């Protein structure tokens, strides 16, 4: 056999995270009838006959997803659990079991890992999730955390990201951009501290955005409010990568376009103040910042009256025909194409 003397090498940066996932999972077909949904939503969905099982997994890597010089281990554990529970919530489900894998270098003490686990256990307690297993290995460099969460939802209640319909309202919970501004603040103070270890970090008054970055909460409360109001979202996703990236997932996967109104995007006052300090447009922080773990969902216009007064839910736009594209309507009335920048570590 003659081998190609120059096998093609594609750099990860050429594809980015989503391109890479597409490439690695291209053409996968399920062998089992129980595999209802594979790659391409917040969770995989398994048919159990009378109900559905949801499964999701997220990795957190020291130096990529967190920096132990400002992320306390307890918060880190809490966040690792919370972001996975958030993916179950994004399918309109209830998280039930968790598996935790860790790789640790000898740099960590037993007490440090207990601290990490106290955060994981706190999140499990708050969201009533059972920690049922995992795996532990040594690592040559740093800390690596892999969390898998299993959840449950009925067949009537499951919500996918590709089922939005034309004219549906686009809604978001909470407020956006805070987690990103919290990150910038922590990074700035770290640099100041590195330059002069005698300087105390100046984080006063910014608790809200620091909490948004260090201790996100899955919005189980929003699912309860929607249920109480009798609203079932037509499509839903959690905001891990920024509003822009997530609304594009819903639009493209649903075969539609969308319009988002800048003046409707909920932004907290602390987020806006710190954004101004950093000379960053708060809308950019909301669109491209990421890690807010709020819910982005679509709902029928017929549900407008039920939705409009729910505290913590904001109607920010609507779905359109695909040909109308994906646009942000600015405060000045101009149309800007929505671009998914997100937190694409591989393209950075
Ligand atoms: P989320 O942000 O909701 O956690 P991701 O963007 O990480 O979701 O993943 C998108 C989809 O791709 C999910 O269905 C996920 O299970 C799948 N996926 C991610 N990485 C891989 C991989 N290495 N192999 C197979 N599927 C993957
Ligand atoms: Mg998700």
């Amino acid at each position: 056999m003659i081998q190609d003397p120059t096998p093609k090498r594609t750099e990860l940066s050429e594809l980015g995270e989503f391109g890479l996932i597409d490439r690695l999972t291209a053409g996968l077909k399920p062998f089992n009838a129980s595999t209802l949904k594979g790659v391409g939503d917040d969770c995989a969905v398994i048919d159990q006959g009378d109900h559905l099982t949801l499964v999701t997994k997220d990795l957190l890597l020291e130096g990529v997803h967190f920096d132990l010089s400002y992320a306390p281990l307890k918060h880190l554990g809490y966040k690792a659990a919370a972001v996975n529970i958030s993916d179950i919530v994004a399918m309109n489900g209830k998280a039930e079991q968790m598996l935790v894998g860790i790789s640790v270098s000898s740099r960590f003490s037993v007490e440090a890992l207990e601290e990490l686990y106290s955060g994981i256990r706190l999140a499990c307690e708050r969201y009533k999730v059972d920690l049922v297993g995992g795996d532990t290995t040594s690592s040559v460099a740093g800390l690596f955390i892999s969390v898998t969460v299993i959840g449950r939802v009925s067949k009537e209640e499951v919500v996918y990201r590709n089922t939005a319909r034309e004219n549906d309202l686009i809604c978001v919970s909470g407020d956006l951009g805070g987690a990103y501004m919290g990150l910038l603040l922590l990074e700035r103070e770290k640099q100041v501290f590195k330059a002069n270890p005698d300087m105390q970090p100046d984080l006063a008054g910014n608790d809200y955005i620091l909490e948004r970055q260090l201790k996100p909460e899955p919005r189980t409360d929003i699912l309860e409010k929607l249920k109480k109001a009798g609203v079932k979202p037509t499509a839903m996703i959690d905001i891990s990568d920024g509003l822009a990236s997530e609304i594009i997932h819903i639009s493209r996967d649903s075969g539609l376009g969308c319009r988002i109104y800048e003046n409707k995007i909920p932004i907290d006052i602390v987020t806006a103040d710190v954004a101004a300090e950093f000379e960053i447009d708060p809308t950019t922080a909301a669109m491209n910042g990421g890690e807010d773990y709020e819910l982005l969902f679509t709902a029928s216009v017929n549900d407008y009256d039920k939705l409009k007064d729910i505290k913590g839910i904001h109607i920010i736009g609507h779905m359109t025909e695909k040909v109308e594209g994906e646009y942000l309507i600015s405060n000045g009335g101009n149309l800007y194409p929505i671009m998914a920048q997100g937190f694409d570590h591989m393209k950075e």
Side-chain angles (χ1 to χ4, degrees):
M1 286 291 276
I2 298 170
Q3 290 224 317
D4 182 351
T6 52
K8 181 164 160 45
R9 180 190 157 92
T10 308
E11 299 304 327
L12 292 173
S13 58
E14 288 174 44
L15 294 181
E17 181 186 340
F18 296 125
L20 176 65
I21 296 171
D22 284 350
R23 174 111 163 223
L24 297 179
T25 60
L28 277 179
K29 287 195 187 71
F31 295 109
N32 302 288
S34 55
T35 307
L36 216 56
K37 181 108 197 173
V39 175
D41 213 307
D42 292 292
C43 294
V45 182
I46 302 167
D47 192 342
Q48 305 284 20
D50 60 338
H51 71 280
L52 303 174
T53 292
L54 305 167
V55 192
T56 183
K57 175 191 198 67
D58 265 310
L59 298 180
L60 290 176
L61 204 58
E62 185 177 358
V64 178
H65 300 100
F66 60 89
D67 183 329
L68 290 172
S69 58
Y70 56 66
L73 278 161
K74 185 173 180 178
H75 285 73
L76 183 61
Y78 193 93
K79 183 167 175 174
V83 302
N84 279 279
I85 297 169
S86 177
D87 274 324
I88 302 278
V89 171
M91 307 296 293
N92 206 22
K94 159 81 179 74
E96 292 188 332
Q97 287 86 19
M98 178 180 297
L99 295 144
V100 179
I102 50 169
S103 296
V104 273
S105 69
S106 53
R107 175 159 65 84
F108 292 87
S109 67
V110 173
E111 288 73 21
L113 296 174
E114 277 179 333
E115 192 63 16
L116 176 76
Y117 265 67
S118 71
I120 295 176
R121 292 169 74 139
L122 183 62
C124 284
E125 203 157 293
R126 180 164 298 172
Y127 294 97
K128 302 286 173 274
V129 178
D130 302 313
L131 178 51
V132 294
D135 198 18
T136 308
T137 70
S138 60
S139 144
V140 284
L143 175 63
F144 171 96
I145 309 165
S146 158
V147 178
T148 300
V149 173
I150 301 167
R152 164 196 284 260
V153 66
S154 73
K155 290 182 172 177
E156 297 72 42
E157 283 179 304
V158 67
V159 179
Y160 295 99
R161 61 171 69 159
N162 66 352
T163 42
R165 295 165 310 192
E166 195 181 333
N167 298 325
D168 278 353
L169 302 169
I170 299 172
C171 307
V172 72
S173 66
D175 57 76
L176 301 178
Y180 180 65
M181 293 321 305
L183 178 66
L184 292 191
L185 202 61
L186 288 165
E187 280 181 345
R188 182 180 72 186
E189 294 314 314
K190 181 186 167 188
Q191 294 312 322
V192 172
F193 183 76
K194 264 193 191 159
N196 180 358
D198 293 332
M199 288 277 285
Q200 285 302 303
D202 176 21
L203 299 170
N206 294 315
D207 295 9
Y208 180 67
I209 59 171
L210 296 175
E211 194 144 299
R212 297 290 289 165
Q213 168 57 222
L214 296 173
K215 199 168 169 287
E217 300 288 357
R219 299 305 308 262
T220 50
D221 58 326
I222 294 292
L223 296 193
E224 278 163 29
K225 285 182 180 177
L226 287 171
K227 211 165 279 176
K228 215 167 139 199
V231 177
K232 185 193 171 197
T234 52
M236 186 152 60
I237 190 168
D238 67 331
I239 304 186
S240 51
D241 293 338
L243 178 59
S245 170
E246 313 300 359
I247 191 61
I248 285 180
H249 279 310
I250 289 185
S251 300
R252 300 211 177 141
D253 293 359
S254 302
L256 297 172
C258 65
R259 291 281 182 284
I260 285 181
Y261 295 86
E262 181 178 20
N263 64 0
K264 304 280 187 204
I265 299 175
I267 292 172
D268 180 80
I269 183 75
V270 179
T271 303
D273 285 351
V274 175
E277 210 181 297
F278 278 88
E279 295 181 13
I280 286 176
D281 180 355
T283 303
T284 305
M287 293 296 281
N288 299 316
E291 294 200 288
D292 289 312
Y293 295 99
E294 293 296 340
L295 291 172
L296 175 67
F297 62 92
T298 55
S300 164
V301 277
N302 298 329
D303 287 331
Y304 176 79
D305 283 331
K306 295 179 191 164
L307 280 167
K308 70 180 197 320
D309 295 325
I310 302 180
K311 240 185 128 205
I313 291 179
H314 304 266
I315 301 170
I316 60 168
H318 61 269
M319 303 304 295
T320 65
E321 264 186 281
K322 190 181 180 68
V323 291
E324 294 190 52
E326 297 133 340
Y327 286 97
L328 177 76
I329 295 153
S330 73
N331 293 338
N334 297 312
L335 257 62
Y336 292 95
I338 298 175
M339 243 102 65
Q341 282 166 325
F343 255 35
D344 203 334
H345 298 293
M346 291 176 178
K347 277 196 167 167
E348 264 162 14

